[in-house]
Amino acid sequence: MQLTEHASSLDELRERFQTVRNFSETLCEPLTPEDCVVQSMPDVSPTRWHLAHTSWFFETFVLARQPDYTPHHPEYEYLFNSYYNSVGKQFPRPQRGMLTRPGRDEVIEYRHSIDVAVSRLLEDLPEDMAGSVPAIIELGLHHEQQHQELILTDIKHVLSCNPLMPVYREGVTQLTPSRELEWIDFDGGIREIGHTGSGFAYDNESPRHEVLLRDFSLASRPVTAGDYLAFIEDDGYRRPELWLSMGWSALEQEQWTAPLYWFEKDGKWWEFTLAGPRPLNPAAPVCHVSYFEADAFARWANGRLPTETEWEVACATHGAADGHFVDGLLAADRPVHPAAAASDQPIAQMLGDVWEWTASPYVAYPGYRAAAGALGEYNGKFMCNQYVLRGGSCATHSTHIRPTYRNFFPPEARWQFSGFRLARDAE
Amino acid sequence: MQLTEHASSLDELRERFQTVRNFSETLCEPLTPEDCVVQSMPDVSPTRWHLAHTSWFFETFVLARQPDYTPHHPEYEYLFNSYYNSVGKQFPRPQRGMLTRPGRDEVIEYRHSIDVAVSRLLEDLPEDMAGSVPAIIELGLHHEQQHQELILTDIKHVLSCNPLMPVYREGVTQLTPSRELEWIDFDGGIREIGHTGSGFAYDNESPRHEVLLRDFSLASRPVTAGDYLAFIEDDGYRRPELWLSMGWSALEQEQWTAPLYWFEKDGKWWEFTLAGPRPLNPAAPVCHVSYFEADAFARWANGRLPTETEWEVACATHGAADGHFVDGLLAADRPVHPAAAASDQPIAQMLGDVWEWTASPYVAYPGYRAAAGALGEYNGKFMCNQYVLRGGSCATHSTHIRPTYRNFFPPEARWQFSGFRLARDAE
Amino acid sequence: MQLTEHASSLDELRERFQTVRNFSETLCEPLTPEDCVVQSMPDVSPTRWHLAHTSWFFETFVLARQPDYTPHHPEYEYLFNSYYNSVGKQFPRPQRGMLTRPGRDEVIEYRHSIDVAVSRLLEDLPEDMAGSVPAIIELGLHHEQQHQELILTDIKHVLSCNPLMPVYREGVTQLTPSRELEWIDFDGGIREIGHTGSGFAYDNESPRHEVLLRDFSLASRPVTAGDYLAFIEDDGYRRPELWLSMGWSALEQEQWTAPLYWFEKDGKWWEFTLAGPRPLNPAAPVCHVSYFEADAFARWANGRLPTETEWEVACATHGAADGHFVDGLLAADRPVHPAAAASDQPIAQMLGDVWEWTASPYVAYPGYRAAAGALGEYNGKFMCNQYVLRGGSCATHSTHIRPTYRNFFPPEARWQFSGFRLARDAE
Amino acid sequence: MQLTEHASSLDELRERFQTVRNFSETLCEPLTPEDCVVQSMPDVSPTRWHLAHTSWFFETFVLARQPDYTPHHPEYEYLFNSYYNSVGKQFPRPQRGMLTRPGRDEVIEYRHSIDVAVSRLLEDLPEDMAGSVPAIIELGLHHEQQHQELILTDIKHVLSCNPLMPVYREGVTQLTPSRELEWIDFDGGIREIGHTGSGFAYDNESPRHEVLLRDFSLASRPVTAGDYLAFIEDDGYRRPELWLSMGWSALEQEQWTAPLYWFEKDGKWWEFTLAGPRPLNPAAPVCHVSYFEADAFARWANGRLPTETEWEVACATHGAADGHFVDGLLAADRPVHPAAAASDQPIAQMLGDVWEWTASPYVAYPGYRAAAGALGEYNGKFMCNQYVLRGGSCATHSTHIRPTYRNFFPPEARWQFSGFRLARDAE
């Protein structure tokens, strides 16, 4: 993380702090207390846990720096530590769904108590904290925004386990035709990727460094549900030759026959969304696919996934119209953007529709070193058996995404809002 | 089940119906909505599920007998069927904790709607239902009382998974000395066991039949926590020769070193109770032990567990002072009964303190045949790899226990309020 | 075990010792060294392990009683101890198939060295051993005969895992019609069961004791493959109402659709036998079924399984023609006995065709106490979650079976030569 | 794979074919028939399986191209297909250890029959096969050499499971001091990596392509057991901050406290080798470590693992003295090479001592496309969640290794002869 001082004054930071913190609670408004308890699989955390953990972050890394600080509750350090070994023991992750207390009201109270304390600290920041605390708060806000996205992805999974198919929030989906796919060409050569400038970035986006690219072409839009349907209908899930070996094993083990949340009813395809079950929208980007499925589709389509380098260079070159960020709370996931369909930009929607799987395993940039101490555990220790996704999804906040952002998940993960676009070598 | 008409008039039945139904809700008063969601292990069901399932029972087996009956909700038959294959498919048991909807309020509403409908039906019972419905309602009420006990045992397990050790209900435990153990002798010969008379009984208590007994002695009281501590301190959990082979495997697998809910803190033994953590009470009956632990203790103590035949004959012979039934809601589990300690009766407390493991595998009585149809699935299909427990516990309602009652659990189960008393052969 | 001195003189014992020991090796003659390595499931032990363990038994319980005895190999006590905690640690059972050494030749050498030592000891038995050693050797020979049966059941399972379906030994099966089933009536009353007389018996067959029986009828022959086929064709494996709850779970989990080793090919039923694949013989007793399958069949057929008491009383009453013991090494498993079909005896073939599941959980007889020390671990510690089987199978040696013999296996076990016969209550 | 015609004439190829084929059998000479059966974990295959599968390769991809070819055995295509979906179904990998037939003699017979047939074909190669068959045979021989290495790594694991710690082959280990570690500097810039020239290479080594390197330094020798001991003694296995998150999980799950095959006895470190248990040799390269352990050591030592690009460029720049290839059958694994210690070359032993983990996930080179058909399944479908290892080990045949060779294993794998050397960024 870029733990340096930023342009924003402390006042601006305080305001932004409150805005981001409030938004977490806004996201939970449609949920019942019961909804906020369940961990539907080990990857998922209960909503209450997200709300408490993000507060724990500020308490642990900001408030506890004050001499004589008394923790809000003696057990919370243990209960709401996610994975920071340097901080201490953690309540076992797969058991987060066993906790019924503290209840939602108590968690909200915990949040507010932290909010007040951080706000007060910022009003009168001791000199010896001025160098570090603003940057840590900035990091904490981005951390909170990551969890806001997880609140949505996780609750979608929780609700999907219920045959009643509950609605998180009603929403309107406009069915508009998707754009025609075009291939945009890019020249190879030595380029630079990675974070630059004074804005916030995670540590894994640095150092900015030179890369060697070969000529390539990139699709002007993500693969759509309609495109993907053709793959299914061409027996894509029954032809091992299209799949990585581990992908085929996952398919057999999990009995995949379509993206997560798709289901057939009376001979038609539907998908479960945050607005409840909906008929499949062929014009929308396909979503909730694993790396394995993206990779198999690409092989079937005689293309390939772009590397993260190609993706970032393309995004930096052309800019990119924005997609459907969550901050507008448009409700249904992945609506088709009318503007996008009519966009003049060659590559539309690189940010904010679906996270796009790249062909790149998640590794350190050359010269990367994780920071010392607990915050160094934020990103670096996960650089193994994960793939980089780029661009942010409809569940990402628009202030939380940028062209250099490196998200990462294991190749079998499907519960994120993950899609992909195709690339190919220059001919 | 004894599905015959009982003495009670329909009015009395309606009143009893409402009393029992209300008590289920009374039991849930101390719980938050969050508490009612979690399934802390496959054996445990969420509180809301118990509340809904017991209503489903009346809806399915009583209300749905009416022509043109419209179900309360089209999915509830599937969601809240426990194990009745004859009724239809069941939502998978291990996933009951995944359901956040219907929420507690909706479930309560469901309950009340069923209550009203059953009550109305009883007010004006069609002639063709008069022969069967009262008996099924009676069965449903005993079924509900079983689930009332499960509500308590299950929520105790749920709360115990939380390092905060939440309190279900505050309560006072009187620490009084336990009675001295005495051995009561019984003569052998041909006796009868099994249900008799016109009161309610489950089908597995019939037919009443002759058994051949040998002379035996039975302990006047259950094994106490203090007795059991001596076993622990004599390395009882480290000496395989005291254990059944399967028991030793369970001990090693689960790393048992004491009864469930016991823990050591600062060199002292505590137990987690429904009133929160408490110092161990050596005078109280030991509780939350498996059949394996009861059996190993008995071998260590040069005794044995009684057969269910011996237990029932003893109980029928001597009557038995009552224990600490839940209907008084005395709060802490397993208080020591002052009266019991002073009792004149040779065998005190056979009913209502702890379920007592017997040496008897759960098998059909000679001549037993399960009823046809779904209600025949109530008991008979579980007659395998389970052991009979007798007597009822502090969590059993006093109107729900009788000397012929046969409870049953697998030998490794510990989350029930299960203890035991010793027997021995006549010398 | 009946550890008393028997009629046989030491000379007779020595001779019998060598005969039994040799027979173990005779059974292994058709096997390759590779065959003797594999453990195809945790229940199965490799052939070499059986050969070594039975020798370990004599070494540990007989030879090691001699002062200054030097073990054949320092690691064998650990490697070949099965489950005797009193003797010491055991090499983990599920890993027996990991051991490639000692090889077959070394194991045979181990056997012969033990044989010589035991034989010498018997030639000149020290006085202080005269009281115990002959009885322990007798026990060891019966132990060895149990393992002879296991060598056959286990190797059948091992070979069945191979698509090449190898033949253990060629054999001829005579297809003769099975006898008509008759119901033989027995009067109730007080009877005695359990071991009596001076012959050898395991400890679990004692004490002989009185039991109370009700009038019942017993089938004159076991259920045949043809009978069982009718159950399959009547959707027996698809109707949960016929099954115990645990049985139905096992069926679903293991995807049972027929007895173990049955398979369909070109629309016909075959079974894998020790003589390789064979067309199903409808006249032969059905074999390789679990307790669950026997129980479900009985429910379907409006019968029930006999209790072990009923079985023993019937066997004692009528005597019983012998079946097809392995000592003749007739090769194919479960041939139809021509003699049996023509037998005049009302109940034929109670001994030596298939082990017959009874309805009786395996519990201690009243007054039973396991012996002290390691040999007390032989039987007693397994009295949990197992069912009694009676009668011996075609793989049992004829000198190793008797009407009071109590075999036991968990209800899901199918790899033994296990079948069943029906009983019913008197009308 | 480079499926083009090679310089070697058909005669030379035939001779080389026989040499390589014979060597597989030479490797098995010290083994008993029993040794060749066991699969000690799913990654391991039984020796007999390796012997048969390598023959299956020639039968399937060479001999079966002949019209009217009759397979050696109708079931072998199924039994000995490893993972080629295009060829057909495969016997399940985790069950390879269940097969006791065909026995070793039959497998050897199978091998010889294939040898004769291939040899004959090469003597008179039909014109329409001249273009493809020699290249496929070349591939088959390299395939066989890979399995020769696996025969050794797998049997080492099998034997290690046995408390008897059997010896594969006696051997002499010379304990000589290891070289002092030096850091060799390399300049960055654009370089080329990947296969070039007319020799054999697998398809994953192509296309040769440009890469952009930064200045770096590489250690002159692999990390030694002595170096690694210092890491252990500095609590390396108890400090989560040194480990990748997945690595720490693996450590906890598998309870790693040292490299595979290390064990402590009487306060001293030993390792199990193919020559049996040996005192740890501190001068030898550390071996049998996972990627996770290599990565954690590097972090502890303030270094990092080299990328495969760095490794290849270094190897290509300096050449490299050879290590201790198996073809000499020096017996003990990883002896210290006296010559190496005295070598003048700056980087000794890059080839032939231990496989060296690199920091590089196994991905396709730019422009890589797997071949069509079954042989395209050889490498490409495994490009996921694996890391590249370079250099070959003491168990690799010297004719089977080259600087561009890319081996790959999952990061948790330890049973290969895998070590590592350190790199660091230029200062």
Side-chain angles (χ1 to χ4, degrees), chain D residues 184-359:
Chain D
I184 319 296
D185 300 326
F186 294 86
D187 291 333
I190 291 187
R191 303 299 167 88
E192 282 199 348
I193 64 164
H195 175 67
T196 183
S198 62
F200 174 85
Y202 287 118
D203 62 354
N204 62 8
E205 300 168 51
S206 291
R208 188 166 177 88
H209 62 287
E210 290 188 332
V211 291
L212 182 60
L213 268 189
R214 296 164 23 122
D215 299 350
F216 71 99
S217 307
L218 192 67
S220 59
R221 61 157 176 75
V223 169
T224 64
D227 298 338
Y228 201 83
L229 206 50
F231 168 69
I232 294 178
E233 287 168 354
D234 195 32
D235 278 342
Y237 282 82
R238 291 194 207 97
R239 292 162 57 186
E241 71 271 19
L242 297 174
W243 295 71
L244 286 166
S245 178
M246 285 187 70
W248 188 248
S249 299
L251 174 157
E252 288 193 315
Q253 175 92 20
E254 305 294 329
Q255 305 191 37
W256 291 342
T257 56
L260 183 63
Y261 301 135
W262 287 30
F263 60 98
E264 273 185 298
K265 211 172 103 180
D266 307 330
K268 289 207 168 176
W269 282 102
W270 289 64
E271 58 179 331
F272 177 72
T273 76
L274 285 170
R278 293 286 172 100
L280 195 69
N281 178 356
V286 68
C287 193
H288 296 298
V289 292
S290 62
Y291 174 83
F292 294 131
E293 287 160 298
D295 169 83
F297 178 95
R299 197 167 288 111
W300 171 79
N302 285 311
R304 59 171 176 81
L305 298 179
T307 63
E308 63 167 324
T309 297
E310 290 167 342
W311 196 98
E312 183 171 331
V313 164
C315 189
T317 307
H318 285 277
D322 283 348
H324 308 83
F325 294 106
V326 73
D327 33 336
L329 277 175
L330 286 173
D333 21 305
R334 287 164 307 103
V336 175
H337 204 185
S343 167
D344 284 340
Q345 283 176 286
I347 301 196
Q349 289 165 259
M350 286 189 83
L351 301 179
D353 274 324
V354 287
W355 284 104
E356 301 184 17
W357 286 107
T358 72

Side-chain angles (χ1 to χ4, degrees), chain A residues 282-338:
Chain A
V286 68
C287 193
H288 296 297
V289 291
S290 62
Y291 174 82
F292 295 130
E293 288 160 297
D295 169 83
F297 178 96
R299 196 166 290 112
W300 172 79
N302 285 312
R304 59 172 175 82
L305 299 179
T307 63
E308 63 168 326
T309 297
E310 290 168 341
W311 196 99
E312 184 171 329
V313 165
C315 188
T317 308
H318 284 277
D322 284 346
H324 307 85
F325 293 107
V326 74
D327 33 337
L329 277 176
L330 286 174
D333 21 304
R334 288 165 306 105
V336 175
H337 205 187

Side-chain angles (χ1 to χ4, degrees), chain C residues 30-41 48 73 75-76 78-79 91 95 97-105 158-159 161-164 166-168, chain D residues 30-41 48 73 75-76 78-79 91 95 97-105 158-159 161-164 166-168:
Chain C
L31 300 176
T32 66
E34 285 93 340
D35 290 334
C36 301
V37 177
V38 169
Q39 178 172 38
S40 52
M41 63 171 175
R48 269 165 42 254
H73 188 290
E75 290 282 351
Y76 284 9
Y78 169 62
L79 283 180
F91 186 73
Q95 316 225 359
M98 296 297 104
L99 301 176
T100 65
R101 320 275 180 101
R104 190 157 91 169
D105 292 348
V158 166
L159 297 178
C161 296
N162 193 328
L164 302 176
V167 169
Y168 165 71
Chain D
L31 300 175
T32 67
E34 286 93 339
D35 291 334
C36 302
V37 177
V38 169
Q39 177 172 39
S40 51
M41 63 170 176
R48 269 165 43 254
H73 188 291
E75 290 283 351
Y76 284 8
Y78 169 62
L79 283 180
F91 186 73
Q95 317 224 1
M98 297 297 104
L99 301 176
T100 65
R101 319 274 182 101
R104 189 157 90 169
D105 292 349
V158 166
L159 297 178
C161 296
N162 194 327
L164 302 177
V167 169
Y168 166 70

Side-chain angles (χ1 to χ4, degrees), chain D residues 63-79:
Chain D
L63 298 178
R65 296 186 164 230
Q66 302 169 99
D68 309 324
Y69 177 75
T70 308
H72 182 83
H73 188 291
E75 290 283 351
Y76 284 8
E77 178 181 303
Y78 169 62
L79 283 180

Side-chain angles (χ1 to χ4, degrees), chain C residues 149-350:
Chain C
E149 178 158 352
L150 288 171
I151 284 173
L152 290 173
T153 50
D154 289 2
I155 202 66
K156 183 170 181 179
H157 191 267
V158 166
L159 297 178
S160 80
C161 296
N162 193 328
L164 302 176
M165 295 213 190
V167 169
Y168 165 71
R169 240 175 62 94
E170 296 293 349
V172 182
T173 305
Q174 288 163 279
L175 288 164
T176 50
S178 63
R179 303 166 36 122
E180 206 60 31
L181 183 148
E182 287 168 63
W183 290 100
I184 318 297
D185 299 328
F186 294 86
D187 291 334
I190 291 187
R191 303 298 170 87
E192 283 200 348
I193 63 164
H195 176 66
T196 184
S198 64
F200 174 85
Y202 287 118
D203 61 354
N204 62 7
E205 299 168 53
S206 291
R208 186 163 176 89
H209 62 286
E210 291 189 329
V211 291
L212 182 61
L213 268 188
R214 297 161 26 120
D215 299 348
F216 71 100
S217 307
L218 192 67
S220 60
R221 61 155 175 77
V223 169
T224 63
D227 297 338
Y228 201 83
L229 206 49
F231 169 68
I232 295 178
E233 286 167 356
D234 195 31
D235 279 342
Y237 282 83
R238 291 194 207 96
R239 292 163 57 185
E241 72 272 18
L242 296 173
W243 294 73
L244 286 167
S245 179
M246 283 187 70
W248 188 249
S249 297
L251 174 156
E252 288 194 314
Q253 174 92 21
E254 306 294 329
Q255 306 193 35
W256 291 343
T257 57
L260 184 61
Y261 302 136
W262 287 30
F263 60 98
E264 274 185 298
K265 210 173 103 181
D266 306 330
K268 290 206 166 176
W269 282 102
W270 289 65
E271 57 178 332
F272 177 73
T273 77
L274 284 170
R278 291 287 172 101
L280 196 68
N281 177 356
V286 67
C287 193
H288 297 297
V289 292
S290 61
Y291 173 84
F292 295 130
E293 288 160 298
D295 169 84
F297 178 95
R299 196 167 289 111
W300 171 79
N302 286 312
R304 59 171 175 82
L305 299 180
T307 63
E308 63 167 325
T309 296
E310 291 167 340
W311 196 98
E312 184 170 330
V313 165
C315 189
T317 308
H318 284 278
D322 285 347
H324 307 85
F325 293 108
V326 72
D327 35 336
L329 278 176
L330 286 172
D333 21 305
R334 286 165 308 103
V336 175
H337 204 185
S343 167
D344 283 341
Q345 286 177 284
I347 300 197
Q349 290 165 258
M350 286 191 81

Side-chain angles (χ1 to χ4, degrees), chain A residues 34-35 97 100-101 104 162, chain B residues 34-35 38 100-101 104 162:
Chain A
E34 286 93 339
D35 290 335
T100 66
R101 320 275 181 99
R104 189 156 91 168
N162 194 326
Chain B
E34 286 93 339
D35 290 334
V38 169
T100 67
R101 319 275 181 99
R104 189 157 92 167
N162 193 328

